[in-house]
Amino acid sequence: MNKFVNLATQDGVAVITINNPPVNALSPGVPEGLVEALDAAERDPSARAIVIIGGGRTFIAGADIKELELAASGRGSGPPEFHGILARIEDSTKPVVMAIHGTALGGGNEVAMAGHYRVAVPDAQIGQPEVNLGIIPGAEGTQRLPRLVGVAAAIDLCVSGKPIRAPEALKLGLIDRVIEGDLLAGAVAFARAIADKGGALPKTRELSDKLGSEFVNASIFAAGRDQARKTRRNMIAPLMAVDAIEAAATLPFDEGCKKEREIFEECIASDQARALIHAFFAERAVAKIPDIPKETAVYNIRQAAIIGAGTMGGGIAMACANAGIAVLLKEVEQTALDRGLAIIRKNYENSVKKGRFSQEVMDQRIALIHPQLTYDGFAQADLIIEAAFESMELKKRIFGEIDRIAQSDCVLASNTSTLDIDEIASVTSRPHMVIGLHFFSPANVMRLVEIVRGKATSREVVATALALAKKLGKVGVVVGNCRGFVGNRMMLPYMREAQFLVEEGATPEQVDRALTNFGMAMGIFAVDDMGGIDLAWRVRQEYKHLEKPGVRMPIVLEKLFHLGRYGQKTGAGWYRYDENRKPTADPEVHALIEKTAHEGGIERRHISDDEIIERSIYIMINEGAKILEEGYALRAADIDVIYLTGYGFPAYRGGPMWYADTVGLKQVRDRIREFHEKHGEFWEPAPLLAKLADQGETFADYDAAREQSLAVA
Ligand code: T1G
């Protein structure tokens, strides 16, 4: 065997164990080791059957995505090929039983399906997540999966990319038994029983009874394509996964595999695959902070305390309770506290109704949240999160209070979305314990947390915040303490440019449609109306003193505010809303825009969707380049992760900075220069962007160079 695969014998069964930590990916050497071990097991007369199991915490979590990254970027030896190992397993003369724990994902499940049987522990997760990387299963998974679970279930698994747990896999026929207790012992016993029974071994590739008929499948494929278009908007791979599964139902196995390979190779060469593979690694790289090594000590967060039971405080309390952390939830008056608790309860009830978890789990989580009007218990808290109104004066008062109450190693965090963490820390006796934890609404759902590192914030407190984010199932991105941090600082020019566009000739619905067609989860005017125009107006007041006289600012939003049109909450904002908050274009807004433009001497004109996208997204990219250069983000990839996990930027475009690389920085720079001439100083090209463009480099090159310099430091 080899360093990745070893072979032992247990009760007359050959046990092949894969050891390629951390997730037993099918890296080069693993398939080869598997074949060697299979050959040895076949030759061993004492081995009556074979079990393949993953060492460590999981079965095989798929092909090595680092190999895929090389293949996608045209480097390396091309996409991995697994046909040989799969045929070797399936043609084994001895029963091969796959023993699954942890995850069997992508190539992991494809190897498992080549086995004659599959057994798994109850909480094992099995799936084909390839579409999340912009590709389709490339190891005959689209051909074996429908043969085991049927066409409809195969489509759902491959299009959603979501794994299923062992009991559901058993029901579908993807596995043969759920093993309670010791997996290896159960798998060996299962294998012995199969050997005792004797008879022909089931080869998945030869099964056909679940492939259905052309007549029956027609509606299933049509529904599958609809599902792909609706749930994976604008993505290529999900639709092509349906094509590959259709090949399984209509072609002989070997021809179906050829079709799958063609489609796989087309997908892996796509911009979407490159972007999604970038996103996969970028999301994991954010936790790597140059001056905070993995072994940095962290504070153990057993008891949290939250100040403010509003939308944010309530959502954060749920996120903590969901992770098993007890929470004191403080408000200043009973009605606000009751309202906050009622919203938490309703959210949980909705999840129970949808079958996300049981009533018992809901009760356990509710029991972890302790509502109160005092600071009782705060002295024992390990973490206090202030989620009060966005006012510096109020936050300073609160931090002064908790500084006097909290124990010395209690982390003091503010959920502020834009205010200065250093200024907040300055009122405490322990600025090294103060940090920003900027959650995104709804905080019990959105994965992003911006971890705002103040000048005095200690390494241990930053490391604790990163560990907390992971424990909450979120993505913690460390950012610097500039106004708006990273996400909101880039949102400001993005929102401002969209408003200029409507004053110059577009409509809110045209801008939003262009942005959603580009892939944004929501158009910016719909976002404005959801967050509240009053909030946008208040944030604008915070920056008013920065506005330069003579520099044109958008005017319509101010008028909407003074008309009391705050958005969804008042039934009208940029759009008009019915009782179900369904938006419709509002002629009154069109008239207001036209009147404002006229009064402002603005010559309205037709504006193309292309111009809308370039001006909205490039101004965001330009701000990102400034943030990067000023050192408020560690990597361009971190900015991508912020926009992918907190602002609905389409993952198949990799994030704003990756998208700029895909367009080409020269082109982005040139368009920004043109906009600078036409629209003035907001379009001043960021020096870093111009420099990279001049040097023919990308933001990815910038990140790579920094990683190298940091590694050397
Ligand atoms: N290849 C290479 N590295 C991987 C990896 C993989 N498949 N999966 C995880 N890692 C690394 C990850 O980068 C991180 O590294 C560490 O492992 C821990 O990961 C032929 C072609 C398995 C659910 O899409 O979903 O098979 O940052 O932080 O939260 O058809 O990792 O520590 O250096 O995510 O416990 C299909 C992807 C591939 C699964 C574990 N498989 N991985 O989550 O740990 S395509 C996937 C995950 C394929 C075939 C096709 C998760 C996890 P580092 P982590 P986790």
Side-chain angles (χ1 to χ4, degrees):
M1 295 21 86
N2 62 21
K3 65 176 182 173
F4 297 117
V5 180
N6 72 10
L7 172 65
T9 307
Q10 182 171 328
D11 302 338
V13 172
V15 176
I16 298 174
T17 306
I18 302 161
N19 292 302
N20 181 25
V23 295
N24 288 328
L26 289 167
S27 312
V30 174
E32 295 78 357
L34 268 172
V35 170
E36 283 172 38
L38 279 160
D39 290 347
E42 290 255 63
R43 289 193 303 271
D44 176 356
S46 71
R48 304 172 54 228
I50 298 165
V51 164
I52 297 180
I53 192 166
R57 62 177 171 135
T58 180
F59 188 68
I60 303 167
D64 188 329
I65 305 177
K66 292 185 187 68
E67 295 294 301
L68 293 177
E69 187 176 40
L70 290 173
S73 54
R75 294 172 286 145
S77 54
E81 165 65 64
F82 296 103
H83 177 76
I85 169 74
L86 301 169
R88 184 67 196 77
I89 294 170
E90 206 159 46
D91 293 336
S92 165
T93 55
K94 298 181 180 177
V96 177
V97 176
M98 300 289 176
I100 302 170
H101 72 299
T103 58
L105 298 174
N109 185 44
E110 290 170 295
V111 166
M113 292 192 290
H116 302 123
Y117 298 92
R118 286 150 296 281
V119 300
V121 294
D123 65 351
Q125 297 203 57
I126 305 168
Q128 301 292 162
E130 286 87 345
V131 290
N132 299 333
L133 298 169
I135 55 178
I136 70 164
E140 304 171 2
T142 61
Q143 308 304 304
R144 286 193 173 82
L145 191 57
R147 284 176 163 78
L148 286 170
V149 305
V151 167
I155 288 173
D156 189 44
L157 281 163
C158 292
V159 167
S160 72
K162 291 196 179 94
I164 56 177
R165 289 198 185 279
E168 190 183 348
L170 179 69
K171 260 191 263 160
L172 286 175
L174 184 51
I175 66 171
D176 303 281
R177 181 166 299 173
V178 176
I179 302 288
E180 303 288 348
D182 184 297
L183 174 63
L184 180 56
V188 166
F190 184 92
R192 285 167 56 88
I194 294 294
D196 293 345
K197 197 175 74 176
L201 296 172
K203 294 185 181 183
T204 308
R205 68 169 185 259
E206 292 171 355
L207 302 178
S208 59
D209 59 328
K210 288 197 175 180
L211 289 177
S213 66
E214 196 175 334
F215 174 72
V216 168
N217 287 341
S219 58
I220 295 174
F221 286 116
R225 292 187 167 97
D226 280 350
Q227 178 194 351
R229 285 190 199 94
K230 222 176 278 145
T231 58
R232 314 302 302 253
R233 219 158 38 92
N234 297 351
M235 289 181 73
I236 303 162
L239 280 168
M240 297 184 90
V242 178
D243 295 346
I245 293 168
E246 190 165 35
T250 52
L251 299 173
F253 182 80
D254 289 346
E255 284 178 48
C257 288
K258 281 203 192 77
K259 180 71 181 160
E260 176 195 83
R261 189 75 197 163
E262 282 163 25
I263 294 174
F264 175 75
E265 289 184 350
E266 188 180 336
C267 288
I268 198 148
S270 69
D271 280 346
Q272 290 194 1
R274 274 189 285 278
L276 285 160
I277 291 170
H278 156 71
F280 175 86
F281 287 118
E283 197 175 297
R284 287 154 180 81
V286 296
K288 294 170 182 134
I289 311 299
D291 66 334
I292 304 184
K294 253 188 179 167
E295 55 277 4
T296 303
V298 297
Y299 294 98
N300 188 7
I301 307 292
R302 290 167 305 270
Q303 173 70 60
I306 296 171
I307 298 166
T311 309
M312 291 312 296
I316 299 167
M318 290 178 71
C320 291
N322 295 349
I325 299 174
V327 183
L328 306 176
L329 183 58
K330 177 187 178 295
E331 250 299 348
V332 286
E333 37 122 45
Q334 195 61 47
T335 44
L337 190 59
D338 294 346
R339 187 168 54 245
L341 257 291
I343 290 169
I344 289 172
R345 182 170 290 284
K346 188 161 144 290
N347 285 338
Y348 276 138
E349 281 162 359
N350 288 343
S351 295
V352 170
K353 255 188 236 136
K354 287 178 191 155
R356 289 223 184 94
F357 45 73
S358 66
Q359 181 63 46
E360 187 200 353
V361 167
M362 170 180 160
D363 297 342
Q364 285 164 0
R365 291 178 181 181
I366 289 271
L368 282 172
I369 300 173
H370 185 273
Q372 58 194 63
L373 296 173
T374 67
Y375 278 126
D376 286 358
F378 274 55
Q380 288 71 44
D382 309 300
L383 165 70
I384 299 175
I385 302 175
E386 169 273 314
F389 191 68
E390 199 66 356
S391 141
M392 181 55 86
E393 185 263 328
L394 172 62
K395 291 183 189 300
K396 283 181 167 180
R397 178 154 54 77
I398 290 171
F399 271 78
E401 289 167 356
I402 58 180
D403 186 39
R404 288 189 291 279
I405 297 166
Q407 59 185 339
S408 59
D409 57 0
C410 174
V411 173
L412 307 181
S414 171
N415 170 59
T416 180
S417 56
T418 58
L419 299 177
D420 184 337
I421 284 296
D422 293 332
E423 190 175 344
I424 292 172
S426 68
V427 302
T428 71
S429 60
R430 56 175 105 181
H432 65 289
M433 296 301 291
V434 177
I435 196 164
L437 287 180
H438 177 211
F439 289 87
F440 284 73
S441 182
N444 52 307
V445 173
M446 293 299 280
R447 296 176 60 222
L448 178 63
V449 184
E450 278 185 320
I451 297 171
V452 189
R453 184 173 187 173
K455 282 195 187 65
T457 306
S458 74
R459 290 192 176 91
E460 292 74 16
V461 168
V462 177
T464 302
L466 283 164
L468 176 71
K470 190 159 174 95
K471 185 170 171 65
L472 298 180
K474 293 180 177 289
V475 179
V477 185
V478 177
V479 298
N481 179 37
C482 58
R483 271 196 180 77
F485 314 133
V486 171
N488 284 347
R489 176 170 160 182
M490 290 166 67
M491 275 297 270
L492 274 170
Y494 172 57
M495 293 169 118
R496 183 183 60 222
E497 201 58 29
Q499 292 171 37
F500 280 141
L501 282 160
V502 294
E503 292 179 4
E504 294 171 28
T507 61
E509 49 276 11
Q510 181 197 358
V511 171
D512 280 0
R513 193 170 44 250
L515 289 169
T516 49
N517 288 343
F518 172 80
M520 298 301 286
M522 281 176 77
I524 188 58
F525 292 106
V527 169
D528 235 358
D529 275 353
M530 183 175 71
I533 288 180
D534 50 333
L535 178 70
W537 181 84
R538 224 186 354 265
V539 167
R540 172 111 184 252
Q541 303 321 304
E542 289 274 343
Y543 294 114
K544 206 113 181 140
H545 62 290
L546 292 177
E547 291 176 14
K548 293 179 187 157
V551 175
R552 180 166 81 89
M553 291 295 283
I555 306 163
V556 176
L557 182 129
E558 303 267 329
K559 291 181 179 254
L560 292 174
F561 172 74
H562 292 302
L563 287 169
R565 294 178 67 113
Y566 295 167
Q568 287 188 18
K569 63 178 84 169
T570 57
W574 291 102
Y575 295 96
R576 185 159 291 289
Y577 294 87
D578 68 15
E579 63 286 354
N580 302 318
R581 296 202 165 195
K582 186 174 173 305
T584 44
D586 188 343
E588 279 179 40
V589 170
H590 294 165
L592 175 66
I593 291 170
E594 278 154 29
K595 181 168 176 289
T596 305
H598 179 69
E599 288 163 357
I602 297 165
E603 187 71 26
R604 285 172 67 77
R605 61 184 170 86
H606 167 70
I607 292 182
S608 70
D609 287 1
D610 286 349
E611 181 179 346
I612 289 171
I613 292 305
E614 285 187 321
R615 284 176 58 182
S616 307
I617 306 298
Y618 290 7
I619 196 120
M620 185 196 280
I621 292 163
N622 202 44
E623 196 64 29
K626 292 176 190 169
I627 289 168
L628 206 46
E629 192 160 25
E630 294 163 22
Y632 291 111
L634 271 173
R635 308 172 188 87
D638 286 12
I639 296 173
D640 287 335
V641 171
I642 286 172
Y643 265 75
L644 296 180
T645 57
Y647 291 84
F649 199 94
Y652 60 82
R653 294 190 189 273
M657 312 313 271
W658 183 269
Y659 173 68
D661 285 350
T662 309
V663 171
L665 294 193
K666 279 190 170 54
Q667 171 159 339
V668 175
R669 172 205 59 197
D670 294 348
R671 290 296 278 150
I672 287 175
R673 281 179 176 159
E674 286 170 37
F675 294 142
H676 185 211
E677 272 163 41
K678 267 190 215 149
H679 303 292
E681 67 174 83
F682 289 132
W683 282 98
E684 176 81 35
L688 174 64
L689 190 150
K691 189 174 118 215
L692 291 173
D694 293 345
Q695 291 165 349
E697 291 185 346
T698 61
F699 285 118
D701 294 331
Y702 174 83
D703 282 354
R706 271 173 59 78
E707 295 293 321
Q708 224 154 16
S709 64
L710 291 169
V712 167

